[in-house]
Amino acid sequence: MTNQQQAAGLPRNQLLIGDVRSRLKELPDDSVDCIVTSPPYFALRDYGHKDQLGLEPSVEGWVRDILAVASDLKRVLKPTGALWLNLGDSYAHHPREGAPKKSLLLGPSRVALGMVADGWLLRNHVVWAKTNPMPSNVTDRLSNTHETIYFFTKERRYFFDLGAIRQPHKSSPTTSGKRRGRDGVYPPRTALPQRAERTGDVNGGLARLKASGAIGHPLGKNPGDVWSLGTAALHADHFAPFPTSLVERALLSTCPERVCVFCGRGWQRAQQRIDGRLLRVGSLQRDCTCSPIWQPGVVLDPFMGSGTTAITAETQGRDWVGIELNPDYAALAEQRLAKWRDATKS
């Protein structure tokens, strides 16, 4: 099947209501550019549907169900695509759930290990550090104030635009050299493990950068794998909408703004030289030899919930496909999306 045929069979900007395990089978192979989603966590919330994930008798059953969905997600994801999977952990109430009572079940870790065994490439384990976590009345452990976001890819080479999500630098330039070792490098060569010395990774580039008076990359710093973001405020009957800012980072970095209609490859920004570096900051250009006809990249959220992924996609000029089991939540997502569209027209 050609990319044109795949694109024609993809229900862009539509919300499909039903069980993800059946609705996913309707989507063409290699048809979406990225996936951003947060499936129901194990034994944490009841979303009011008998077929929902998360109510399995044990964490092992939940992991099997998530891995089955991930297998179909891998089928519909393009070879250059990425999957961002937001998961939260829970505690065992009984040993039959998969761990001693009161122990963390390590559900997200079990899913990650299973997906790697199934051939996924785990590129990052992102910690979502919540700046406004839910209050907790526990007295015999620390409050849980973070969740996990796994960044997976199908292949070793994939579309990734780091420049789109770089963050402003906070430090000031310095040329004092006070923190350098005797050889002019920080950290000193003697402080580095032998492996780093063998590979030449001694932060010499960082030392030269600071000596020139710069404070880092001209486009800003890499946001890293700890994201300090607040939870979303949604005055509606949905338990856990994730914030727009979280979806934006995943979307902007791994969902191309433009995609070739013929071969499906994402367009790249032209390179320009800034401060002696070739940076992709120019106009968008196709990364293939096909005719210059394009369409927006498309993001899939197979657990759409209240519609945050769809709203973020349209805000950023991307297309989307959503799947939602609960008709009430699907109606909420459609309502939020319609309200956002009306607001942008006025």
Side-chain angles (χ1 to χ4, degrees), residues 84 123-124 126 151 160-170 215-227 249 253 277:
W84 299 84
R123 301 298 292 131
N124 280 112
V126 177
F151 170 30
F160 189 75
D161 185 1
L162 178 59
I165 60 170
R166 286 187 178 273
Q167 305 293 300
H169 295 291
K170 293 183 178 179
I215 59 174
H217 194 281
L219 300 183
K221 66 177 182 178
N222 187 315
D225 58 4
V226 178
W227 297 357
R249 289 190 183 183
S253 60
R277 297 188 183 197

Side-chain angles (χ1 to χ4, degrees), residues 23-260:
R23 298 308 306 252
L24 265 179
K25 300 185 186 305
E26 303 171 19
L27 304 185
D29 295 356
D30 302 330
S31 57
V32 301
D33 294 285
C34 81
I35 301 168
V36 182
T37 197
S38 181
Y41 308 158
F42 174 70
L44 197 61
R45 296 185 179 96
D46 186 348
Y47 289 93
H49 200 288
K50 62 182 180 63
D51 295 325
Q52 74 168 70
L53 302 183
L55 298 182
E56 296 84 353
S58 69
V59 70
E60 290 92 345
W62 175 76
V63 170
R64 283 194 298 270
D65 284 346
I66 296 293
L67 293 180
V69 173
S71 177
D72 234 0
L73 293 178
K74 194 175 185 181
R75 177 187 62 80
V76 303
L77 186 65
K78 290 181 181 179
T80 54
L83 162 62
W84 299 84
L85 184 63
N86 172 216
L87 295 172
D89 212 344
S90 53
Y91 289 86
H93 296 91
H94 192 280
R96 64 171 170 265
E97 291 182 337
K101 186 176 180 180
K102 296 187 73 172
S103 172
L104 270 173
L105 287 160
L106 300 178
S109 299
R110 298 179 193 228
V111 170
L113 289 170
M115 290 182 65
V116 170
D118 288 344
W120 288 91
L121 278 65
L122 180 54
R123 301 298 292 131
N124 280 112
H125 173 181
V126 177
V127 175
W128 171 19
K130 300 179 182 180
T131 57
N132 57 341
M134 289 285 290
S136 174
N137 60 1
V138 297
T139 58
D140 61 349
R141 61 170 173 82
L142 305 179
S143 299
N144 295 333
T145 60
H146 79 279
E147 291 185 12
T148 293
I149 304 168
Y150 290 123
F151 170 30
F152 289 102
T153 63
K154 288 175 62 171
E155 306 289 347
R156 288 182 294 176
R157 294 186 179 275
Y158 48 91
F159 180 89
F160 189 75
D161 185 1
L162 178 59
I165 60 170
R166 286 187 178 273
Q167 305 293 300
H169 295 291
K170 293 183 178 179
S171 57
S172 301
T174 176
T175 57
S176 64
K178 291 181 180 179
R179 299 179 66 203
R180 298 180 190 171
R182 286 180 297 178
D183 51 9
V185 174
Y186 180 81
R189 295 178 190 273
T190 54
L192 293 166
Q194 291 183 354
R195 181 175 179 272
E197 290 187 359
R198 288 199 305 270
T199 58
D201 181 17
V202 293
N203 267 350
L206 179 60
R208 289 190 296 272
L209 188 71
K210 290 186 174 182
S212 70
I215 59 174
H217 194 281
L219 300 183
K221 66 177 182 178
N222 187 315
D225 58 4
V226 178
W227 297 357
S228 297
L229 304 170
T231 56
L234 179 62
H235 302 290
D237 189 20
H238 188 275
F239 291 108
F242 46 27
T244 300
S245 53
L246 186 155
V247 181
E248 280 180 348
R249 289 190 183 183
L251 191 73
L252 293 175
S253 60
T254 58
C255 187
E257 189 174 346
R258 296 182 181 182
V259 173
C260 176

Side-chain angles (χ1 to χ4, degrees), residues 263-300:
C263 69
R265 296 186 66 174
W267 287 29
Q268 301 273 5
R269 294 203 172 273
Q271 291 185 327
Q272 294 182 2
R273 189 170 294 278
I274 299 178
D275 295 338
R277 297 188 183 197
L278 279 175
L279 305 175
R280 290 192 176 275
V281 294
S283 59
L284 285 169
Q285 297 180 345
R286 65 186 188 276
D287 193 29
C288 60
T289 58
C290 305
S291 177
I293 302 176
W294 60 272
Q295 59 190 351
V298 59
V299 57
L300 167 67

